[in-house]
Amino acid sequence: MSDVLPPPSPLATAQSTHVPSSRGSRAHIIAITSGKGGVGKTFVSANLAAALTRHGLRVLVLDADLGLANLDVVLNLYPKVTLHDVFTGKATLDEAVITAPGGFSVLLAGSGMVEYSRLTPEIRNQLMHVIDTLAPRYDVVLLDTGAGISDVVLFSVSLASEVLIVATPEPTSLTDAYAAIKVLTTQQKRHNMRLVINQAARPGDGRAITGQLQQVLNRFVSTESGNPMRLIHMGDIPADKAVRESVMRRQLLLHSMPGCPAALAVAQLANKIKTMLTPVEYA
């Protein structure tokens, strides 16, 4: 299956400010994470990948939720080879990377594997090797991480140059999102992170929520320089019954109902991501 791995492209040579230059030409790596599970993080990852692919970008989604992976369920895939097989030497990366219905590449993880519940030196080294090997072949790598602030999640996020937090308007989701942002700021010395509000009830909810979180961050969380951590609102995905229907059918929303409000919101998010990553090429 090596033909699913594209060669390096010109866009992949653009350096991000958070990626060590010693690793050479590589993709823009974005960790899509959340403080709480069940907020639609994997839904956002899959559909954002499809939307970015429509812009001509070479996209890989890596399922970094190593023990509780469900990207395969969202995409209706039945992989014969997973990241677990790569880690255990039973398969190569070329065999594990497959093409998803949206035209992007995916590297799926196994599910229900307790050995991935904690970060070991072996897992750390294997994840770094996977990223270093695959990143030069793509324009964008989306890391669909687990939820929360476990050591596995935090290490996965540390491999990314940008962090996109997915949250819903529910108080528990926002509280956990704040906790995740605080930990990432203090441990990884990040100066900004990006936020998308899923299942927004009304237009403008996400911007108001971002403003409220920013006020709390200004009071209690500061970067290494002493300045407040900057939270960037990337958009809202409205509550839309079409999302549940697409998830139940195991279809990409951008394919099954491209004109619905949630699909249009994901497309707008992709536009912002594209501009953020390549402001010169896409001017």
Side-chain angles (χ1 to χ4, degrees), residues 7-227:
S9 74
L11 290 179
T13 63
Q15 283 290 327
S16 172
T17 56
H18 290 280
V19 178
S21 59
S22 60
R23 293 188 180 180
S25 301
R26 56 195 284 122
H28 298 280
I29 303 175
I30 304 173
I32 301 179
T33 191
S34 64
K36 179 179 182 292
V39 298
K41 174 176 49 61
T42 299
F43 160 80
V44 171
S45 298
N47 284 277
L48 177 59
L52 290 170
T53 300
R54 289 183 177 180
H55 286 292
L57 296 172
R58 296 175 179 179
V59 181
L60 168 72
V61 182
L62 191 158
D63 195 342
D65 193 353
L66 301 180
L68 296 171
N70 58 14
L71 183 62
D72 56 332
V73 176
V74 171
L75 294 171
N76 197 30
L77 294 173
Y78 299 88
K80 296 180 180 179
V81 179
T82 68
L83 194 57
H84 173 71
D85 298 307
V86 176
F87 283 1
T88 55
K90 297 178 182 178
T92 66
L93 272 175
D94 284 21
E95 294 171 323
V97 177
I98 60 177
T99 302
F104 54 91
S105 299
V106 292
L107 179 53
L108 301 169
S111 183
M113 297 183 179
V114 68
E115 60 265 41
Y116 298 124
S117 61
R118 52 188 288 272
L119 184 66
T120 64
E122 290 77 17
I123 293 175
R124 175 189 292 265
N125 292 336
Q126 288 168 331
L127 269 176
M128 291 181 65
H129 173 71
V130 167
I131 294 293
D132 286 344
T133 302
L134 293 180
R137 307 182 186 188
Y138 294 90
D139 302 318
V140 181
V141 173
L142 302 179
L143 303 180
D144 182 25
T145 79
I149 52 175
S150 71
D151 52 1
V152 175
V153 172
L154 293 176
F155 179 71
S156 299
V157 174
S158 76
L159 298 173
S161 56
E162 295 281 353
V163 179
L164 180 65
I165 306 284
V166 179
T168 67
E170 297 177 0
T172 53
S173 172
L174 297 177
T175 300
D176 289 349
Y178 167 76
I181 293 167
K182 181 178 180 179
V183 170
L184 290 170
T185 301
T186 55
Q187 289 194 7
Q188 300 185 9
K189 314 302 181 186
R190 294 187 180 272
H191 296 279
N192 61 70
M193 276 174 263
R194 302 173 188 275
L195 177 69
V196 60
I197 297 298
N198 190 27
Q199 301 175 23
R202 295 173 299 275
D205 275 1
R207 190 168 297 281
I209 289 169
T210 304
Q212 293 167 3
L213 282 174
Q214 185 68 66
Q215 289 179 1
V216 179
L217 292 168
N218 291 348
R219 291 186 60 189
F220 300 109
V221 181
S222 61
T223 63
E224 193 173 25
S225 64
N227 296 320

